[in-house]
Amino acid sequence: MTTGKPRLDREAVAARAARELPDGAVVNLGIGIPTLASQFVPAEKQVLFHSENGVLRFGPLAGPGEQDEDLINASLQFLVPVPGMSFFDSVAAFEMIRGGHVDIAILGALQVSERGDLANWRLPTRAVGNIGGAMDLVAGAKRIVVAMEHTDNDDHPKVLSDCTYPVTGRQCVSLIITDIAVIEVMDGGTRGRLQPKGLLLREVAPGWTVEEIQALTGARLHVASDLREIQL
Amino acid sequence: MTTGKPRLDREAVAARAARELPDGAVVNLGIGIPTLASQFVPAEKQVLFHSENGVLRFGPLAGPGEQDEDLINASLQFLVPVPGMSFFDSVAAFEMIRGGHVDIAILGALQVSERGDLANWRLPTRAVGNIGGAMDLVAGAKRIVVAMEHTDNDDHPKVLSDCTYPVTGRQCVSLIITDIAVIEVMDGGTRGRLQPKGLLLREVAPGWTVEEIQALTGARLHVASDLREIQL
Amino acid sequence: MPRSKLFSSASDAVADVPNGASIAVSSFAGPGGMPHFLLLALWEQGARDLTLIANTGGLTMVSGLGSPGGKKLIDQSILVESGRVKKAIACYPVYPRPSIVTPLEQAVRDGSVEMELVPMGTLVERMRAAGAGIPAFFTPTGVGTEVERGKEKRVFDGREHLMERALHADYAFVRAWKADTMGNVVYRQSSRAFGPVMLACARVAIVEVDDVVEPGDLAPDMIVTPALYVDRIVVRPKDGALITAEGFRQRAPRM
Amino acid sequence: MPRSKLFSSASDAVADVPNGASIAVSSFAGPGGMPHFLLLALWEQGARDLTLIANTGGLTMVSGLGSPGGKKLIDQSILVESGRVKKAIACYPVYPRPSIVTPLEQAVRDGSVEMELVPMGTLVERMRAAGAGIPAFFTPTGVGTEVERGKEKRVFDGREHLMERALHADYAFVRAWKADTMGNVVYRQSSRAFGPVMLACARVAIVEVDDVVEPGDLAPDMIVTPALYVDRIVVRPKDGALITAEGFRQRAPRM
């Protein structure tokens, strides 16, 4: 059993995810671990965070006492004004997403398949789910990165040969960052234009072996020739 | 021959057209006689003029010396600022038109048919024509009024059983105001939802008889039981 | 002189909402953009069999989500909870944690409310299409998911797309920052969100504002919703405390 | 610190425009919104076989239409007149009076330029669709006219509509009022027109502004084009006289 082995905490997963953000990128962060990523962007990088309610370029979050109900992002975090920020409506926010003007979205997931299918909007045990902006992001953002725990609360694998939960989008995920591994979906994220070629294990959390990670994964992992430890 | 009989001048046609503008209406005026109508709206009426370049609510035109290249309407008339005016882009301007938010458009015409078909964008003798915003207006504005001369430069009728010039839209015109007559297209302007029932002569210019007007018209005119002289 | 679209109260502005009306409610999710006073007035007015169109199913009334000071402010849930809604069209209908059950989630489980779940970009684009005279459009959003059920699929540029239809509302209840008496509207910061498109897609567009000003007081380059989209304006009570869920539950509807 | 998108000259900003590129040019019709200096720079740069996308075919250079003081300022006609355009996509290509013949009308008559005539609302909506990830949409505009030729027709709500496709541009040449160095843009009064949608539909979006300012100098509620749509900014010479048609014709291209 590897269940008891120490895994990266949520902040560390978010920090690893933040390293995927290139300088100058327009970035949308989903609710959960992804929203934590904003605090791990180094100061020398310019990243323009985008939010579905109609905000572009936000930085630090507002502290208690600074909170303004008219200055929030889509995760309902209170923001502070930053030079160069702009406000628009949600129609415009989704023009940006669907039109390919968002470079990268980091999203949480319930399940990801080896073809890069993503399921993140409904637990089958719940009558209703929240689609929110996720289906638009997986259809429109140029690159989709998943940041999540590797297994669910019952230690069942969340990386699978096929999603068993209702999907958010097909063949959309390019990279999976978890609390024990970083896995590339080979030829992933083309949304059917190229057929994905399966999963490539690129990085492992400190102390974890390929075999241990494979044992907690519901799909076959290819192993990168330059496999290395996750750097934060 | 009736050719020599005095007709209404362009200003008078525009003044008669202006009487079609209800208080509170959103109005778009085409190039030509229609643009002249704005000066004949009585002060007690609030009419919101709309322009395809993205202006709502304009009033008087700018005099010499007041002209600002960034303050024009779609007919390239220079405007002056008015309280309550707003600027937007042309995408929004046509959302308003196509979405049915413009109550009335007054347009010039080369020909109008007895079904309310309008031809106003290309002379067959010219290789290229200007569609501009006219096709959107005839498709989207709630009511289309034509303001024009009754006959062309060669005294050929412009009101016809069928348009012979390339049309701008079908079954779109509700009312035709010319320099000798006001003619209703019965059940006109429904764009196919109701079949138009032909032309009804409602008003005649001072000194003109029904027979004289019929002689200059290329379609059969029914005559209103309350036929009267055009009031300006 | 332009006539004023200002109504004397939220109750007057919603008086003619009939049973069976569809109502678009503007808040993105938290209290910002929420037309608290129009919602309360409609609850008091009593219209039934409503169709709600909104981003969420109402999250703040049970959770205080995004509310300053942790207050649980009212939201569209007051209509769901009182059994006045027959259908909800939304993107984010339930609370993210399953342990918090909103009135809408409860009603969907009970079968008393029909739920139409729509991706957010598709929802706003469908409303935009309604306001803009576009009866249908194609989007890549939702392909390969439950959302494609019953929809026409078509390949453009080598990729599948779904055909989506325009979504009109009978009424829009939109909270904004300021309006002039003609109906030109501006929004405050991130609360613009769903407001402009809801005003444009509705047959009767009602805006609830912090302040009403005279025509000319809003710079014409800054106006977000031009006057032609607005039918009625109500001003939020300046000194009126916001209606909290607790306060609401102590009220009786005057029906 | 955000990197600046400011280019040192119009020539630098258009240096990479290849032969065969499609270029969206923003002016509605008169001199307002006309990117005079980008057009002149492209004329000097020499690219050929261009596709022009614009509201008009260029009316001011022959007529002075809408030009203050009756000056005949340059417009996209300089590219047509010099034989560099193979196709024009426009709504209002020729001068209203047949007696004034623009370079585009002449070129279409000669058969040297292919003309695609598009209703104005359809043109801006096609560009909007391109920027917004909508590959196709339905519109009632043009039904029963020459515009429907070759297009799919379909009945919605008892009425025929045409299917229209998204229109992308390789480059946008847009004149605006002010930009900050990150690329947030505001427009002046009625010259907004085609600017925002052209920036959004272009692979390379270039804006020519009167003034460039620092991020934060433009109020975030007033920004019309958010920074992500803008790739390059050039500032119009402050003391440079506007280029008139007469002045242009005395120049030789430095190719």
Side-chain angles (χ1 to χ4, degrees):
Chain A
M1 277 295 284
T2 51
T3 317
K5 261 194 143 164
R7 301 182 178 197
L8 301 182
D9 61 18
R10 290 161 58 87
E11 280 69 23
V13 176
R16 175 61 190 82
R19 287 184 41 221
E20 294 299 314
L21 304 179
D23 192 28
V26 177
V27 177
N28 187 292
L29 301 178
I31 291 180
I33 293 175
T35 55
L36 302 174
S38 69
Q39 61 190 288
F40 297 106
V41 179
E44 69 274 14
K45 267 195 202 171
Q46 175 197 340
V47 171
L48 275 79
F49 289 110
H50 167 277
S51 185
E52 290 91 326
N53 55 331
V55 186
L56 184 67
R57 184 164 160 80
F58 49 89
L61 303 184
E66 299 184 302
Q67 300 182 342
D68 180 340
E69 68 180 37
D70 295 323
L71 192 47
I72 60 170
N73 64 20
S75 303
L76 297 202
Q77 295 176 307
F78 291 98
L79 308 176
V80 296
V82 207
M85 185 176 225
S86 58
F87 302 115
F88 35 90
D89 73 1
S90 292
V91 174
F94 283 90
E95 290 173 357
M96 295 172 186
I97 291 173
R98 222 179 20 237
H101 308 284
V102 172
D103 296 304
I104 181 165
I106 305 181
L107 300 175
L110 298 169
Q111 298 181 330
V112 187
S113 86
E114 64 184 7
R115 285 180 305 280
D117 297 349
L118 171 68
N120 80 346
W121 72 272
R122 182 161 76 81
L123 283 167
T125 50
R126 202 168 180 190
V128 200
N130 287 326
I131 293 179
M135 284 192 185
D136 298 283
L137 283 163
V138 301
K142 283 188 205 148
R143 184 160 191 259
I144 304 295
V145 172
V146 160
M148 65 173 189
E149 276 103 19
H150 202 85
T151 53
D152 67 16
N153 291 341
D154 303 318
D155 232 10
H156 292 133
K158 296 172 69 174
V159 179
L160 301 168
S161 54
D162 259 315
C163 293
T164 59
Y165 293 176
V167 298
T168 310
R170 303 277 180 193
Q171 301 183 13
C172 52
V173 177
S174 294
L175 192 73
I176 307 164
I177 297 170
T178 77
D179 50 4
I180 58 173
V182 176
I183 299 166
E184 180 189 334
V185 182
M186 292 183 287
D187 284 344
T190 70
R191 292 139 178 146
R193 289 210 179 82
L194 284 177
Q195 287 309 309
K197 297 198 175 60
L199 302 175
L200 184 67
L201 181 63
R202 289 204 155 277
E203 301 173 29
V204 299
W208 286 74
T209 67
V210 170
E211 293 68 29
E212 288 165 345
I213 291 166
Q214 178 66 72
L216 291 174
T217 305
R220 184 180 158 221
L221 297 175
H222 303 265
V223 180
S225 55
D226 58 345
L227 181 75
R228 53 183 200 157
E229 200 166 85
I230 294 175
Q231 309 290 321
L232 301 182
Chain B
M1 278 295 285
T2 52
T3 317
K5 262 195 142 164
R7 302 183 178 198
L8 302 182
D9 62 17
R10 289 161 57 88
E11 280 69 23
V13 177
R16 175 59 189 85
R19 287 185 40 222
E20 295 300 313
L21 304 178
D23 192 28
V26 177
V27 177
N28 188 291
L29 302 178
I31 292 180
I33 294 175
T35 55
L36 302 174
S38 69
Q39 61 190 288
F40 297 105
V41 179
E44 69 274 15
K45 267 194 202 169
Q46 175 197 339
V47 171
L48 276 78
F49 289 110
H50 167 277
S51 185
E52 292 91 326
N53 55 331
V55 186
L56 184 67
R57 185 166 159 79
F58 48 89
L61 304 182
E66 299 183 302
Q67 300 183 341
D68 180 339
E69 68 180 35
D70 295 323
L71 192 49
I72 60 170
N73 64 19
S75 302
L76 298 202
Q77 296 176 306
F78 291 97
L79 308 175
V80 297
V82 205
M85 185 177 226
S86 58
F87 302 115
F88 34 89
D89 73 0
S90 292
V91 175
F94 283 92
E95 291 173 357
M96 295 172 185
I97 291 173
R98 222 180 19 234
H101 309 283
V102 172
D103 297 303
I104 182 166
I106 305 180
L107 300 175
L110 298 169
Q111 297 181 330
V112 188
S113 86
E114 64 184 5
R115 285 179 305 279
D117 297 349
L118 171 68
N120 79 347
W121 71 272
R122 182 160 77 78
L123 283 166
T125 50
R126 202 169 180 190
V128 199
N130 286 327
I131 293 179
M135 285 192 185
D136 298 282
L137 283 164
V138 301
K142 283 187 205 148
R143 185 160 190 259
I144 303 295
V145 172
V146 161
M148 65 174 189
E149 276 102 20
H150 201 85
T151 53
D152 67 16
N153 291 341
D154 302 319
D155 231 10
H156 292 134
K158 295 172 71 174
V159 179
L160 301 168
S161 54
D162 259 314
C163 293
T164 59
Y165 293 177
V167 298
T168 310
R170 303 279 180 191
Q171 301 183 12
C172 52
V173 177
S174 294
L175 193 72
I176 307 164
I177 298 170
T178 77
D179 49 5
I180 59 173
V182 176
I183 300 166
E184 181 189 334
V185 182
M186 292 184 287
D187 285 343
T190 71
R191 293 137 179 148
R193 290 209 180 83
L194 284 177
Q195 287 310 309
K197 297 198 176 60
L199 301 175
L200 184 67
L201 181 63
R202 289 203 154 279
E203 301 174 27
V204 298
W208 285 75
T209 66
V210 170
E211 293 67 29
E212 288 165 346
I213 292 167
Q214 178 68 71
L216 290 174
T217 304
R220 185 181 157 219
L221 296 176
H222 302 265
V223 180
S225 54
D226 59 345
L227 181 74
R228 53 182 199 159
E229 200 165 87
I230 294 176
Q231 308 290 321
L232 300 182
Chain C
M1 185 55 200
R3 270 184 327 290
S4 173
K5 294 173 178 169
L6 189 60
F7 274 57
S8 59
S9 71
S11 300
D12 284 353
V14 306
D16 64 358
V17 175
N19 294 338
S22 58
I23 301 176
V25 178
S26 67
S27 165
F28 186 82
M34 184 66 76
H36 295 104
F37 296 91
L38 290 170
L39 288 170
L40 191 68
L42 184 63
W43 174 78
E44 292 179 333
Q45 187 257 28
R48 296 184 312 275
D49 297 326
L50 302 171
T51 294
L52 273 185
I53 305 170
N55 187 22
T56 78
L59 303 180
T60 54
M61 189 159 158
V62 288
S63 68
L65 190 72
S67 297
K71 275 189 284 192
K72 294 176 180 176
L73 302 177
I74 67 149
D75 58 29
Q76 57 268 39
S77 293
I78 66 172
L79 297 172
V80 180
E81 191 178 75
S82 52
R84 308 262 286 283
V85 173
K86 69 162 192 233
K87 182 174 179 182
I89 304 176
C91 316
Y92 203 93
V94 298
Y95 199 78
R97 263 181 288 140
S99 56
I100 296 185
V101 177
T102 64
L104 182 63
E105 183 169 10
Q106 192 59 53
V108 173
R109 278 198 219 159
D110 297 346
S112 61
V113 168
E114 179 195 347
M115 179 74 225
E116 180 179 340
L117 189 62
V118 186
M120 203 185 297
T122 298
L123 181 65
V124 293
E125 188 68 12
R126 287 178 63 195
M127 291 191 283
R128 189 262 173 190
I134 302 292
F137 59 90
F138 289 93
T139 174
T141 300
V143 169
T145 77
E146 286 182 13
V147 164
E148 72 174 41
R149 214 173 280 159
K151 287 174 191 155
E152 180 173 328
K153 271 165 99 167
R154 187 148 165 175
V155 173
F156 293 97
D157 310 318
R159 189 171 173 198
E160 285 189 319
H161 291 78
L162 303 183
M163 190 174 84
E164 296 281 358
R165 298 295 308 275
L167 179 64
H168 293 268
D170 295 321
Y171 287 79
F173 286 10
V174 167
R175 179 177 163 197
W177 188 23
K178 294 180 188 176
D180 69 28
T181 54
M182 290 178 64
N184 291 298
V185 177
V186 296
Y187 303 82
R188 194 162 169 272
Q189 303 178 147
S190 66
S191 289
R192 194 181 304 185
F194 281 48
V197 77
M198 286 178 161
L199 291 174
C201 82
R203 288 176 186 89
V204 180
I206 313 178
V207 67
E208 170 181 320
V209 293
D210 291 340
D211 283 301
V212 72
V213 299
E214 289 303 312
D217 287 350
L218 303 174
D221 273 319
M222 272 201 79
I223 289 167
V224 173
T225 295
L228 55 69
Y229 287 118
V230 173
D231 299 300
R232 302 174 187 177
I233 303 165
V234 299
V235 183
R236 289 164 69 92
K238 284 267 185 309
D239 48 1
L242 277 186
I243 310 132
T244 60
E246 293 68 27
F248 164 75
R249 291 210 176 83
Q250 288 157 18
R251 278 172 101 124
R254 57 164 152 80
M255 280 188 286
Chain D
M1 187 54 201
R3 270 185 326 290
S4 172
K5 294 173 178 170
L6 189 60
F7 274 56
S8 59
S9 71
S11 300
D12 284 353
V14 306
D16 64 358
V17 175
N19 293 338
S22 59
I23 301 176
V25 179
S26 67
S27 165
F28 186 82
M34 184 67 75
H36 296 104
F37 295 92
L38 289 170
L39 288 170
L40 191 68
L42 184 62
W43 174 78
E44 292 180 333
Q45 186 257 29
R48 295 184 312 275
D49 297 325
L50 302 172
T51 294
L52 273 185
I53 305 171
N55 187 23
T56 78
L59 304 180
T60 55
M61 189 159 158
V62 289
S63 67
L65 191 72
S67 297
K71 274 188 285 194
K72 294 177 181 175
L73 302 177
I74 67 150
D75 58 29
Q76 57 269 38
S77 294
I78 66 173
L79 297 171
V80 180
E81 191 179 76
S82 52
R84 310 261 286 284
V85 173
K86 70 162 190 233
K87 182 174 179 181
I89 304 176
C91 316
Y92 204 94
V94 298
Y95 198 79
R97 263 181 287 141
S99 56
I100 295 185
V101 177
T102 64
L104 182 63
E105 182 170 11
Q106 191 58 55
V108 172
R109 278 198 217 158
D110 296 347
S112 60
V113 168
E114 179 195 348
M115 180 74 226
E116 180 178 341
L117 190 61
V118 185
M120 204 185 298
T122 297
L123 181 65
V124 292
E125 188 68 11
R126 288 178 62 195
M127 291 191 283
R128 189 264 173 187
I134 302 292
F137 60 89
F138 290 93
T139 175
T141 301
V143 168
T145 77
E146 288 182 10
V147 164
E148 72 174 41
R149 214 173 280 159
K151 286 174 191 156
E152 180 173 327
K153 270 166 100 167
R154 186 149 166 175
V155 173
F156 293 98
D157 309 319
R159 188 169 173 199
E160 285 189 319
H161 292 77
L162 304 183
M163 190 175 84
E164 295 280 358
R165 298 296 308 275
L167 178 65
H168 292 267
D170 295 321
Y171 288 79
F173 286 9
V174 167
R175 179 177 164 197
W177 188 22
K178 294 180 188 176
D180 69 27
T181 54
M182 291 178 64
N184 291 298
V185 176
V186 296
Y187 303 82
R188 195 161 168 272
Q189 304 179 145
S190 66
S191 289
R192 195 182 302 184
F194 281 47
V197 76
M198 286 179 161
L199 290 174
C201 82
R203 289 177 187 87
V204 180
I206 313 178
V207 67
E208 171 180 320
V209 293
D210 291 340
D211 282 301
V212 72
V213 299
E214 289 303 311
D217 287 350
L218 303 175
D221 274 319
M222 272 201 78
I223 289 166
V224 174
T225 295
L228 55 65
Y229 287 118
V230 173
D231 299 299
R232 302 172 188 177
I233 303 164
V234 300
V235 183
R236 289 164 70 92
K238 285 267 184 310
D239 49 1
L242 278 185
I243 309 130
T244 59
E246 294 67 27
F248 163 76
R249 290 209 177 83
Q250 286 157 18
R251 279 171 100 124
R254 57 164 151 77
M255 283 190 281

